[in-house]
């Protein structure tokens, strides 16, 4: 019986993507301070699952252990998003819970992202999400990418919408977030939904 989850044959350790304005790569030790600073943002803590309060040790744990393990196992593909001209960290984007890659009908994954406060409203995250989704469909053979966000996270939905995600509804009390049950918006993206690169 085939495993429904990726194995080491799906190691994503070396993956790096580029767009006209951005470089998407694995986070490294030299990025820990920038990740720590960005994750102090109240909106990131309000709408994502990063620890709150967010400490440098949390960034160290993610950069040095969590993200490399996900990539090596092929179950996640987290990227730091950097400007191509100045190498400034502007956010993160990643495929989550990658699975069923060996299925003839195609695999599945979720997507998550955050944007550093100073980098918002410049289209960086929309561009990065588009690049990651294209890569997931083309290189991993994904059949569907799912998106979820706490109800009210209009910025996240705008990024998803611009990339062609179709909103499917609301899952009530789906997420336990900081001790409170939160409703989630849900959407999905199929290969034919995604527009051409910007």
């Amino acid at each position: 019986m085939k495993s429904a989850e990726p194995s080491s044959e799906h190691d994503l350790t070396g993956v790096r993507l580029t767009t006209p304005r951005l470089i998407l790569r694995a986070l490294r030790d030299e990025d820990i301070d920038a990740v720590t600073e960005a994750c102090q943002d109240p909106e990131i803590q309000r709408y994502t699952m990063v620890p709150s309060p967010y400490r440098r040790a949390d960034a160290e744990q993610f950069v040095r252990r969590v993200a490399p393990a996900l990539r090596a196992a092929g179950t996640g593909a987290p990227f730091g998003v950097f400007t191509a001209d100045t190498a400034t960290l502007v956010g993160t984007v990643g495929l989550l819970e990658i699975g069923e890659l060996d299925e003839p009908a195609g695999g599945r994954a979720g997507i998550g992202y955050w944007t550093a406060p100073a980098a918002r409203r410049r289209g960086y995250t929309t561009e990065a999400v588009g690049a990651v989704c294209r890569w997931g469909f083309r290189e991993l053979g994904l059949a569907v990418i799912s998106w979820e966000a706490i109800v009210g996270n209009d910025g996240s939905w705008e990024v998803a919408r611009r990339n062609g995600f179709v909103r499917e509804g609301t899952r009530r009390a789906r997420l336990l977030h900081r001790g409170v049950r939160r409703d989630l918006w849900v959407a999905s993206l199929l290969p034919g939904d995604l527009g051409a690169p910007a």
Side-chain angles (χ1 to χ4, degrees), residues 15-170:
V15 177
R16 183 178 188 270
L17 306 175
T18 61
T19 74
R21 299 189 297 164
L22 302 170
I23 296 169
L24 284 69
R25 62 164 174 79
L27 292 163
R28 302 190 287 241
D29 273 9
E30 60 263 32
D31 307 317
I32 287 172
D33 287 339
V35 170
T36 304
E37 181 181 351
C39 289
Q40 303 310 305
D41 176 57
E43 292 300 289
I44 290 176
Q45 294 190 20
R46 177 181 178 191
Y47 287 123
T48 75
M49 296 300 289
V50 302
S52 179
Y54 195 90
R55 303 161 301 160
R56 192 176 195 279
D58 297 312
E60 291 172 351
Q61 170 82 2
F62 183 75
V63 170
R64 294 175 179 167
R65 289 183 276 290
V66 175
L70 291 171
R71 280 176 166 253
T75 56
F79 296 92
V81 181
F82 300 85
T83 55
D85 55 354
T86 64
T88 301
L89 177 74
V90 296
T92 63
V93 61
L95 292 179
L96 319 165
E97 299 177 350
I98 299 169
E100 301 169 356
L101 296 184
D102 297 323
E103 291 296 323
R108 47 118 181 117
I111 195 159
Y113 42 88
W114 55 253
T115 309
R120 291 177 185 154
R121 297 175 191 74
R122 299 183 188 181
Y124 291 138
T125 306
T126 299
E127 190 174 319
V129 166
V132 169
C133 290
R134 284 183 189 85
W135 168 74
F137 289 136
R138 183 180 63 244
E139 301 298 330
L140 299 183
L142 299 178
V144 60
I145 299 172
S146 60
W147 168 90
E148 295 181 338
I150 294 172
V151 169
N153 190 347
D154 296 314
S156 182
W157 168 240
E158 186 61 16
V159 168
R161 185 192 67 76
R162 289 181 182 218
N163 276 293
F165 280 80
V166 175
R167 193 137 90 191
E168 298 168 343
T170 302

Side-chain angles (χ1 to χ4, degrees), residues 169-191:
T170 302
R171 301 180 78 177
R172 297 184 300 163
R174 172 64 177 174
L175 179 69
L176 183 62
H177 185 259
R178 321 244 188 259
V180 178
R181 285 272 167 201
R182 302 289 187 192
D183 296 346
L184 292 180
W185 285 329
V186 295
S188 63
L189 185 75
L190 305 183

